[in-house]
Amino acid sequence: MILDQILRGTPLAHLPAVLCPDGLLPRECFRRGTVLVPSTPLNNRERRLQGDPVLATANRGHQEAAPGSFWGLPEEPGRCFGAVLVAAGPVVRVVHPAGRADPGDVSESVAGASVQGPGPRSVCGGGSPSFTLPMSPLVFESGFIFDTDLRPLDVLAEVVSSDGAAGAVRTVQVLGARGLQLSAAPPRAWSFPASRIFFRCDLFPEEFSIVVTLKVPRLPPKKNEYLLTVVAEERDVLLLGLRYSSTHLHFLFLSEDRAGAWQTRVSFRSASLMDSQWHTLVLAVSAGSFSLIMDCGLPVDIMADVPFPATLSVRGARVFVGSRRRTKGLFTGLVRQLVLLPGSDATLRLCPSRNAQLAELSIPRVLQGKPGDNEVLKYPYEADMKVTLGSRPPCTKAQDATFWFDAARKELHLCASSHWVSVLAAKAKLDYVEEHQRLPTNSETLGLEVFGIPGVGLFVAAANRKAKSAVYKWTDGKFVSYQNIPTHQAQSWRHFTIGREIFLAVANFGPNEKGQEVSVIYKWSHRKLKFTPHQRIATHSARDWEAFEVDGEHFLAVANHREGDNHNIDSVIYKWNPSTRLFEANQTIATSGAYDWEFFTVGPYSFLVVANTFNGTSTKVHSHLYVWLVGSFRLFQSFLTLGAADWEVFRIGDRLFLAVANSHSYDVGMQLRNDSYTINSVIYELNVTAQAFVKFQDIPTCSALDWEFFSVGEDHFLVVANSFDGESFSVNSIIYRWQGYEGFVAVHSLPTFGCRDWETFDTSAGSYLIYSSAKEPLSRVLRLRTT
């Protein structure tokens, strides 16, 4: 009858307010979450699906409100009923009887609104502020939004407040997030009277959401653990509860009628909770509709025969977090968030989220950010960490946020996004270099390529001068022969990948049995665990391959050294054709006795530099740097070099360097001298202002054929392959250390014989160098000893 009076526009003063305490309107006048307009009642779920505004109108268009008309508004936390819009002539008054919400919440939502007689900030009862909206004439539009969003009640914060169970709080960090361990305290320590959040209003919301972020342990069958309960203490009756088992999440509530009381259980399958990960659950309840959403995923909806009661009294009840008042069924996992949101579905506030498993609506202060000194003392803090020792373990999603300690290198690594990231490393210093292994090869070795194959191991490919080259695998701390591959005066190998395919390209200098000069690209067979021929490409005394990627496309550049006696020929850049799965000629570049290609990038720009060795009359020739522009490489800068055999690009901090290995100073018109091999090799540095590389340092070398850059701890090094001093191939190769303003300074002298190529690699046991000899069938592995 009272509802009929409201819909007919009965003045507020004539309503029988005596039916509610403190002058409040009866609960039956306005159902929780319902917008009452003439002929158009909608609950929260219907309003959300239809996209209607909070303040609706009867005809969904324009409606002029007659004086004395009433509109019902949804309730706020703990309210016994909603506010009422009262149309009174040229203004509409929003009668806001009481509530936790600040009157400013309403006035801020409506342009031109003013507050009249604001009441106290309380939960239910006390004061009746009203809000006046100047409108003339008074017109409501269907798109008008009236902000009545409800505020979340942080249940978890209630048990860790200063006057709560602070002494029983135990925080644990795991998988990058902090949670509370509830089983560290007796059940009552994690509880509080329901009147703390429902004071002066003893009815539980009819429509609400429960948000919980938790990490649960695996449970044996038939065992249940409680996350949240509301218990009537005098009767020891469970009014409301949320618990889970190994297979289900159960929501329980007490239903009553004249025939008696019974407990209703709504169950959701939740096996995916038992994966040792954090998860955020949203349980949304609206009458007989129950919805569960995990990690902002798809909702699981259940329509129950028994609806959630509209008048569930919590008078004299107590809220327990992580238990059902007794020790049986204690929650043994970690909880990070436990929030009650009256009147609406919390999914709309949480989702979408960048980290759905840890989506936040309200988190207690003790779990936010890093603990300060006082907090550590006040709340015992620990981290649940698993640290793996030994060789490098796999880093997958299952190992995410776990640690690996590399004892050999004294480094602590964190598994993040399937990669090991160094988080703590001892500042290793290179002390000395010692011989680790003498590696016999099929013949003299002109080039080495060290590479890894995921799940298989570490390899080195040796480019041997005679009829076959070899691939070696790192086994028990040494390289052992793994596969022999037919080659023809092989000069170098290049390892590269395209998607999941693994390739190894050899640069053959000599002709095959048919007199053809052909270099070969081999592909790794995951079935045979061997490299098999994939493509043959005609080359001319090939010295080197360089593989690189530009704008998502894959390329191979070959350094053609000479064709017969002609050194001034084209080298070729090949482009991968995804359709044919083959490389096709894409661009030719004129070169002079090309020996090496080196690719690098600077910001968005891609560069390719060639080492030109001989033009037919002199080794004093220009080597060229090219930049990728509009689909091809264009000349960017030229360097005068002396028999350039190698380029090495490296970075130190934000500085970029290019080092060229000059091998020989020779001219047809000059008499050969021994000192023509002892010449300067040059290090260039990129000058961003000049947009060019400028000379940084000259380093005396002896027919240098290769540079290799490596780092140990925070120190940076360059090692040069000195091959001949004009008299002997027994020449020391030198390791130079970066010393800032002084540049590179010689620190170690390594005896080598006909040294041709250096490579560096790391294993779980430490760091190594390996060099090849062009004058004997023996390569050497050297170990870098650190302190």
Side-chain angles (χ1 to χ4, degrees), residues 727-741:
E727 295 181 355
S728 173
F729 294 102
S730 295
V731 184
N732 288 339
S733 293
I734 309 298
I735 295 179
Y736 299 87
R737 184 175 64 203
W738 171 255
Q739 294 192 180
Y741 182 74

Side-chain angles (χ1 to χ4, degrees), residues 78 164 508 578 657 673 738 745 755 757 763 784:
N508 284 324
F657 297 89
R673 303 192 313 269
W738 171 255
V745 177
C755 186
D757 189 23
T763 72
L784 304 178

Side-chain angles (χ1 to χ4, degrees), residues 352-665:
S353 172
R354 291 184 178 180
N355 188 358
Q357 290 180 298
L358 293 169
E360 295 184 4
L361 184 60
S362 181
I363 301 292
R365 185 176 61 88
V366 67
L367 300 179
Q368 297 174 5
K370 297 181 179 179
D373 293 339
N374 293 335
E375 287 181 345
V376 172
L377 296 176
K378 184 175 180 180
Y379 305 107
Y381 177 80
E382 64 183 57
D384 181 13
M385 295 193 306
K386 178 182 178 182
V387 180
T388 302
L389 299 176
S391 59
R392 187 186 187 95
C395 176
T396 64
K397 185 177 180 181
Q399 287 83 32
D400 203 38
T402 61
F403 289 89
W404 162 54
F405 183 71
D406 186 346
R409 305 183 67 177
K410 300 178 181 178
E411 292 182 354
L412 183 65
H413 300 265
L414 172 68
C415 180
S417 302
S418 300
H419 292 89
W420 287 111
V421 179
S422 178
V423 294
L424 183 63
K427 294 182 179 181
K429 294 285 185 180
L430 178 59
D431 189 13
Y432 61 94
V433 180
E434 67 176 5
E435 184 174 290
H436 178 75
Q437 178 187 4
R438 292 192 174 194
L439 180 64
T441 54
N442 295 331
S443 60
E444 300 90 335
T445 303
L446 302 177
L448 297 168
E449 179 80 345
V450 177
F451 59 94
I453 297 179
V456 182
L458 179 72
F459 297 85
V460 62
N464 298 130
R465 187 187 298 278
K466 294 186 178 179
K468 62 180 179 180
S469 295
V471 176
Y472 303 86
K473 183 181 179 183
W474 186 261
T475 306
D476 296 329
K478 292 188 177 182
F479 283 114
V480 297
S481 181
Y482 184 81
Q483 180 182 1
N484 285 319
I485 299 176
T487 56
H488 304 280
Q489 296 182 44
Q491 301 292 298
S492 64
W493 288 98
R494 184 65 63 206
H495 162 265
F496 61 95
T497 61
I498 300 177
R500 297 183 60 187
E501 296 178 300
I502 302 169
F503 298 92
L504 196 60
V506 63
N508 284 324
F509 190 80
N512 60 17
E513 298 82 0
K514 299 179 180 180
Q516 303 168 328
E517 291 188 26
V518 176
S519 293
V520 184
I521 301 172
Y522 295 86
K523 181 181 175 182
W524 177 258
S525 170
H526 293 279
R527 181 176 62 86
K528 297 180 179 180
L529 297 180
K530 299 284 185 180
F531 283 99
T532 58
H534 176 75
Q535 182 180 359
R536 291 173 170 83
I537 297 178
T539 54
H540 301 289
S541 301
R543 289 283 191 182
D544 180 59
W545 284 106
E546 180 74 350
F548 55 92
E549 182 178 349
V550 179
D551 297 334
E553 297 183 305
H554 297 271
F555 296 86
L556 264 181
V558 63
N560 285 326
H561 186 67
R562 61 180 170 84
E563 187 175 2
D565 293 331
N566 182 18
H567 290 77
N568 299 307
I569 61 173
D570 288 339
S571 291
V572 186
I573 299 173
Y574 298 88
K575 180 180 176 181
W576 176 256
N577 186 329
S579 300
T580 62
R581 315 299 295 175
L582 297 173
F583 283 96
E584 301 172 351
N586 182 72
Q587 181 182 357
T588 59
I589 295 179
T591 54
S592 299
Y595 221 92
D596 179 61
W597 284 108
E598 185 81 0
F599 174 83
F600 62 95
T601 60
V602 179
Y605 298 101
S606 298
F607 293 89
L608 192 62
V609 61
V610 64
N612 286 325
T613 303
F614 185 60
N615 62 7
T617 60
S618 176
T619 60
K620 190 176 182 179
V621 295
H622 282 93
S623 294
H624 302 294
L625 175 64
Y626 300 88
V627 62
W628 178 268
L629 292 174
V630 197
S632 64
F633 283 100
R634 311 291 179 87
L635 182 63
F636 179 80
Q637 185 177 354
S638 297
F639 307 88
L640 187 60
T641 54
L642 298 172
D646 178 65
W647 284 103
E648 179 80 354
V649 62
F650 56 93
R651 289 175 168 84
I652 298 177
D654 57 357
R655 303 171 69 176
L656 179 69
F657 297 89
L658 265 179
V660 63
N662 286 325
S663 66
H664 188 199
S665 177

